[in-house]
Amino acid sequence: MWLKPEEVLLKNALKLWVTQKSSCYFILQRRRGHGEGGGRLTGRLVGALDAVLDSNARVAPFRILLQVPGSQVYSPIACGELLNGSDVYWAIATGATLEEINQHWDWLEQNLLHTLSVFDNKDDMASFVKGKVKALIAEETSSRLAEQEEEPEKFREALVKFEARFNFPEAEKLVTYYSCCCWKGRVPRQGWLYLSINHLCFYSFFLGKELKLVIPWVDIQKLERTSNVFLTDTIRITTQNKERDFSMFLNLDEVFKIMEQLADVTLRRLLDNEVFDLDPDLQEPSQITKRDLEARAQNEFFRAYFRLPRKEKLHAVVDCSLWTPFSRCHTAGRMFTSDSYICFASREDGCCNVVLPLREVVSIEKMEDTSLLPSPIIVSIRSKMAFQFIELKDRETLVEGLLERLKQVHANHPVHYDTSTNDKDMAGHTSPVFYSTSICSDHKFGVLEMVSCHSSKEREDKSPPLHPGPLTAVFPPSGSQNPDSRLSREQIKISLWSDHFAEYGRTVCMFRTEKIRKLVAMGIPESLRGRLWLLFSDAVTDLASHPGYYGNLVEESLGRCCLVTEEIERDLHRSLPEHPAFQNETGIAALRRVLTAYAHRNPKIGYCQSMNILTSVLLLYAKEEEAFWLLVAVCERMLPDYFNHRVIGAQVDQSVFEELIREQLPELAEHMNDLSALASVSLSWFLTLFLNIMPLESAVNVVDCFFYDGIKAIFQLGLAVLEANAEGLCGSKDDGQALMILSRFLDHVKNEDSPGPPIGSHHAFFSDDQEPYPATDIADLIRDSYEKFGDQSVEQIEHLRCKHRIRVLQGHEDTTKQNVLRVVIPEVSILPEDLEELYDLFKREHLMSCYWEPPRPAAPRHDPSRPYAEQYRIDARQFAHLFQLVSPWTCGAHTEILAERTFRLLDENADQLLEFKAFVGCLDVMYNGEMNEKIKLLYRLHIPPALTENDRDSQSPLKNPLLSTSRPLVFGKSNGDTVDYQKQLKQMIKDLAKEKDKTEKELPKMSQREFIQFCKTLYSMFHEDPEENDLYQAIATVTTLLLQIGEVGQRSSSSGSCSQECGEELQGSAPSLEQDSVFVDPGKTPQDSRAFPESAEGDWTVSLEHILASLLTEQSLVNFFEKPLDIKSKLENAKINQYSLKTSEMNHQSQPELKLSNL
């Protein structure tokens, strides 16, 4: 690697370098101790010094220096003295290997050495060389990876060392690196930590001992900050079998955040297929850099904090102050700008937040810069409100970008308005709370113009008939008496909200403060609930941006019949059956349309249980189309990953809730050692937002808080419920009693302010109690939840989600593994612990291809929606690697060909993919099968479909009929005796004819070409066996015998008289004992040998029974196939060599082995 030239003082320096070669102008040096096989004391001391001082020289064992003869330079040395006339050199290149540094040396000799002699001035010569080297560096640094780092030169150095030490393929991109200690017990090892897109790697070289550690991110089960006896803060990484601690970081917070992000990204990309398809940032992992991770983390926080769509991309975060008229001052905070939004969050959490969809924005203007209002801009919106931001850095660039995106938004979604000046509440009375101040006309802002689209009347004419309003307006709960006290409280709430709207705004762009949170906690008035849900979730923006979208979906989806629609139909009448709105076809039809339309919009989610409960409640308070967009907001933004095949999001929040219980309610957590029972109950809390847990009139207040505060409201309410029942839970004897306590409490949560009658929940187990149970008011419960547990920030919750997502995904992987092993274990003789190792190898082989190879149609990613046994599958190339690693049938260069045939045999459905069960079944025969089972497998590997006409070995000269069948059936033995097989052959043919009808399914007979390949495989298998000579002699005997059998069968089929042909064939004189070769050299063919013509080759056949009976005649062959085989040693070697085999193939060259070392 070329270096920016820097001076190196050699005079009076320690002899740390040894000169390898030199010229008039350049010197190539090696670091002392590197490559010295004897491990001299000097080399060990230099290595220890490099490790302790953390010097750059340690990681570059070779370097090239530029020397200028006779240069006189004053240069400081370590002690601060000045030496006049010192020889000064410039380091211009380093190398991790001798090959790399020699390439640089050769380039210098070929391109510069002859040119330098023309320079008279030594300074000019030095400047010329340094300029050339800097140009080379600039060319190399053009790579995007290096350019995006803060210190490209140091990063390039680390990248070279990372590649040299770990020998990964080029596709394994380094993200960042740190100096740290890795602990082995109480002993720290100082070294370098490298974080790449797929692996965490650690390298240490201390006192002549080299340590390499490679941990795939996908193997990490827990990542946490902890402390040990010696250090107060370490990073602990837990894998399946080990815990490893890393410490001594300069910035541990940064390192931990990067580790957490890389682990999260990799696990989601490789193990969570549903999220992978939705997140474009995960599609190109090779492009991930440290800056990308930081930007991605900020982007995810931004989307979670303001609950925006997943596709929304953050462009800028700017410190600023916003004029807040309600407090008559500027509030300090940050502005977030994205594709379609301008958002503001105050520095003080919850003080003031603003969400401005760009489609609501009319103009963005720069105001005059003054001392009182530095760098101000005004953002005007359609509801005749304006927002003043000041103290904006780089205002010009910010405004320019905003105007460009504003133009794009209005070009993509032309604005249309409702011409009504007010809305009506649920009872049909005019309410001045919501209104639009704009009309359908052209609106100008700056140089932009937005034109309204077709009228709403035209759109409605084209849409299918939808229910016109909220269902509660048509179907009030039966038995509603509406006491005066409840109605008066409802009117008071409406009055409070009206006053609030007048001061803080009444649209989605309102100022969101602590005051509005208190109003929400009191319960939103029935007449305003649906519209406020639309504003808080910003579903109103989606509704306005997609006119006619829902109607089109309904038209396209209705009438279609599939598994999803069947599930929807099954659950329709289970959705709030106690409410009158869903006791008739009107409500049921609206629910059917919304659920079916959403399943059509998002087939990845389709329909999940509990969506029907949520949608039913949305339809009670919102119009049908509004309910649809509210459902979109909940499923795709507010509860991401909840409603899919594995409900990963809900399980992650369930796990987060367990940790919050331990933090906030330690006494309860201590009493209930296993919180899984509480977690199982809480799953329905998260999935249904308490809607089928509490009475409906109480649960809707919870939904109010959820739409305003997001999942935080559910966490804190769950903690409040547990705290209210802590005494009873601590006194419970078992999980069943604890669940009864919670169910009874939740069933008696009442809403005193609800204008309607009580509607019970689905879990009213204790409604007929003999003793009255004290009721809890929902308003009091929500208020307690905010006061006692409302301090959890969005950032803390997102961090906990990231942490627990690792645990949940790994839990699913363990479940998959156990289910696969449970199916396979009864069918094979391999020990369970060995099967577990084989499964890990099988899975790792699949994942390594995901790491470094582009996606191939034949090798799909891990798909968790498939049955357990089919989630991980490998293709032919991956199978060949595993076959080479764990198969006992190693055949040298022939192994790869045998692996290809084995794959074709096992791939019964011809989809070019193989499951774990088939792979293990084949290995079980090889290791534990009886001799006849092994021979049968070998036989099947040499007939179709395993052996094809296009087989790579089909062009072998052995394909031609060069066999001599005039060989005698008499062979010499080592003791000089001879054995005559003529009688055995006659008897064998008779016996086989009798047994032929007894076989269940006869395999096809083997042709001569297939038999040649069979023999070749056997010869290859015997290579390097301790009994190699005996085996070769035995197989020669058996092969000759089988050749005679094949010719007998051929002649028998042609003449119809088997016995006559056998008699003729078995006549002949005894040959010399020296003829013991099966395959006759074509140049020395015996005079009486006959070559079969091609046309006759198909008639020459032998069967499996022939081969098996012939092999049984030789004890050495029987011993070979029946000897016990040790799979454990193969598995140990496979774990060590799996990576090196893959990387050597990827790099197309022999490299040092990469081992998954244990500390």
Side-chain angles (χ1 to χ4, degrees), residues 761-775:
S761 71
H762 294 293
H763 298 279
F765 300 125
F766 306 99
S767 56
D768 298 328
D769 286 344
Q770 297 294 330
E771 298 181 4
Y773 190 86

Side-chain angles (χ1 to χ4, degrees), residues 234-252:
T234 63
I235 296 176
R236 175 166 294 170
I237 294 172
T238 305
T239 57
Q240 186 175 4
N241 301 315
K242 283 190 176 293
E243 290 183 348
R244 297 175 175 88
D245 291 338
F246 297 89
S247 64
M248 303 292 287
F249 294 99
L250 293 177
N251 189 342
L252 189 135

Side-chain angles (χ1 to χ4, degrees), residues 668-774:
L668 177 61
E670 185 178 353
H671 174 77
M672 303 188 71
N673 295 325
D674 184 10
L675 294 176
S676 58
L678 292 180
S680 63
V681 175
S682 68
L683 183 61
S684 61
W685 299 358
F686 291 105
L687 283 172
T688 66
L689 307 178
F690 287 92
L691 286 171
N692 66 339
I693 308 299
M694 293 181 182
L696 180 61
E697 71 274 7
S698 302
V700 290
N701 283 30
V702 178
V703 180
D704 294 342
C705 298
F706 168 75
F707 274 116
Y708 184 78
D709 268 325
I711 195 63
K712 170 186 173 182
I714 307 301
F715 281 127
Q716 62 194 32
L717 185 67
L719 292 171
V721 168
L722 294 180
E723 196 232 11
N725 294 273
E727 184 177 350
L729 292 172
C730 288
S732 61
K733 298 179 181 179
D734 52 37
D735 293 342
Q737 186 178 357
L739 299 185
M740 291 174 63
I741 292 170
L742 289 175
S743 298
R744 180 182 302 194
F745 174 84
L746 291 167
D747 190 54
H748 288 82
V749 176
K750 306 302 181 184
N751 187 353
E752 299 296 333
D753 295 342
S754 175
I759 300 177
S761 71
H762 294 293
H763 298 279
F765 300 125
F766 306 99
S767 56
D768 298 328
D769 286 344
Q770 297 294 330
E771 298 181 4
Y773 190 86

